[in-house]
Each structure stands twice: as structure tokens, then as C-alpha cells.
Amino acid sequence: MNPLLTGLGISLEIQAFFGAATELTFSYGDQFERYGTGYHIVPSTQNLWVAGLPNATHLIITYSVMEAMAFITLNRHRFPRLEQLAFVAIGNRLHVEQGDWIMQNYPSRKITLVFGKDIIGHITDIKLAAAIKGISLRIISKDNEIHIYRGKCLQIFTQEQISLHAFQESFGVRPRFRTAKPARSLTFLEQLQYDAER
């Protein structure tokens, strides 16, 4: 049991599933994610952090282990059986190789992408979904517009319109990936921290 996680409302069951210890340090192989009072360090690495069984039916992908714990804590009612879930944290910066690894190691899984509800989160959703599907994209931001090129095909979105759903509709990407966005905060971890302070 970690008192910091318990204070955030993260159950002992979830702490055990994620292997949380006294020190909140999670290895990505070559670098570490660290969390403590007043800090959260997320690595930028091509490696991944993974939890859960390889034969899990549902894969949840986040940018950090702490975000994954916050997400499942706030959505536990939707996922009654933890053993059916696997989690992957990609770190601070998406690398195409990460999408390749996920595609090879978790084929034909139901996938939920859990990134912030800002423009960076929406673009990460799109880039990661495309990488997992083996789709080559080029994304350019111009003024208030996001230009997405797939080969010679161009789709233009405003920053208000851009989402994984809009991308999938425009380019006919199937099967569809799901996203999860927090209701009241930028990230699920921020929402959990806010709720704990009230």
C-alpha cells in the first residue's frame, strides 16, 4: 500500500495490479517514471511500460503509469474484471516504433486511447492509432487548422474539430479505436488530484 496513492483514492487492488510500491518509480527499461508530492516525471523514450496479461482482451494506452491508475480508478465501474485488461504507457513522446510493437504484441484487441483532452492529446490519439494500423501520416499545424496528409489525400480540421473520431470518419479507418477523456480536467490524474484536495 502506498499512502500517496491511497490519498488519491486509488484502491489497494489497483495498486497491486500496477505493482505500486513505497517508491513510485516505474521502469520503461532505459528510463523511469517517478511520482511524488509535487512532482511527476515522465520519460521520453522509445520503450514502453506494460502491465497485465498478454492475452488480455482490452488494451488501454496512456502516456504514463500514473494516468493509467487514475483512469481505471475513475472508471472502475466500467471494467469489472481487471484480468481482462492490459495497460501500456508510451511516455512523454510518441515514437512510431511503439505503435509497431503494440500492433505485433496485441493484435485484434479492443483498444482505448487515454490522452489529454487538449490539442496535443487529440493529435497523439490520431498518430498512435495510425501507427498501430500501419498508416503513414504527416500532420501540420497552420494557424487554427490541422492539415493531415495520408499519401496524396489531405483533410483539414480546425483545432475545435480535431479528434480521433473525426480522423477515422474522414479517412475511413476501421476498426475504430476508442478514446477516453476526463469530464472536468485535462487528464484523469489531474481530476483525481483535484477530487482528493476537495
Side-chain angles (χ1 to χ4, degrees), residues 143-184:
D143 301 320
N144 190 40
E145 295 179 340
I146 308 297
H147 294 213
I148 302 181
Y149 296 85
R150 180 181 180 185
K152 293 183 179 179
C153 182
L154 166 65
Q155 296 289 339
I156 299 173
F157 305 89
T158 66
Q159 288 190 10
E160 294 74 33
Q161 292 172 320
I162 193 74
S163 70
L164 179 61
H165 178 76
F167 163 76
Q168 291 177 141
E169 284 287 313
S170 295
F171 287 97
V173 175
R174 292 196 181 6
R176 298 183 183 278
F177 292 81
R178 295 180 180 188
T179 61
K181 305 290 181 199
R184 301 184 310 273

Side-chain angles (χ1 to χ4, degrees), residues 13-170:
E13 176 192 31
I14 292 171
Q15 290 184 43
F17 182 88
F18 284 88
T22 308
E23 292 292 320
L24 294 177
T25 302
F26 306 98
S27 176
Y28 287 63
D30 60 341
Q31 295 183 45
F32 293 89
E33 176 180 341
R34 301 178 196 282
Y35 184 84
T37 304
Y39 67 90
H40 185 201
I41 301 166
V42 181
S44 293
T45 174
Q46 290 186 5
N47 293 335
L48 301 163
W49 177 91
V50 180
L53 298 173
N55 62 347
T57 57
H58 193 147
L59 180 63
I60 297 169
I61 307 172
T62 66
Y63 74 96
S64 74
V65 179
M66 288 301 300
E67 182 69 0
M69 280 196 273
F71 167 77
I72 197 62
T73 296
L74 292 167
N75 292 281
R76 187 68 175 93
H77 60 283
R78 293 178 48 211
F79 303 98
R81 299 179 62 197
L82 280 178
E83 69 274 9
Q84 293 180 338
L85 302 177
F87 291 83
V88 170
I90 65 166
N92 229 351
R93 183 173 175 264
L94 174 65
H95 297 268
V96 175
E97 298 83 7
Q98 294 172 323
D100 296 339
W101 187 91
I102 291 167
M103 179 175 53
Q104 291 168 12
N105 289 276
Y106 292 96
S108 305
R109 300 302 198 284
K110 181 191 269 187
I111 294 178
T112 300
L113 304 177
V114 181
F115 297 99
K117 65 179 186 181
D118 59 355
I119 189 72
I120 294 169
H122 289 297
I123 290 175
T124 303
D125 290 334
I126 292 166
K127 284 183 170 181
L128 184 54
I132 292 170
K133 299 291 285 178
I135 298 170
S136 181
L137 291 182
R138 208 164 38 106
I139 300 177
I140 298 170
S141 178
K142 289 186 178 180
D143 301 320
N144 190 40
E145 295 179 340
I146 308 297
H147 294 213
I148 302 181
Y149 296 85
R150 180 181 180 185
K152 293 183 179 179
C153 182
L154 166 65
Q155 296 289 339
I156 299 173
F157 305 89
T158 66
Q159 288 190 10
E160 294 74 33
Q161 292 172 320
I162 193 74
S163 70
L164 179 61
H165 178 76
F167 163 76
Q168 291 177 141
E169 284 287 313
S170 295

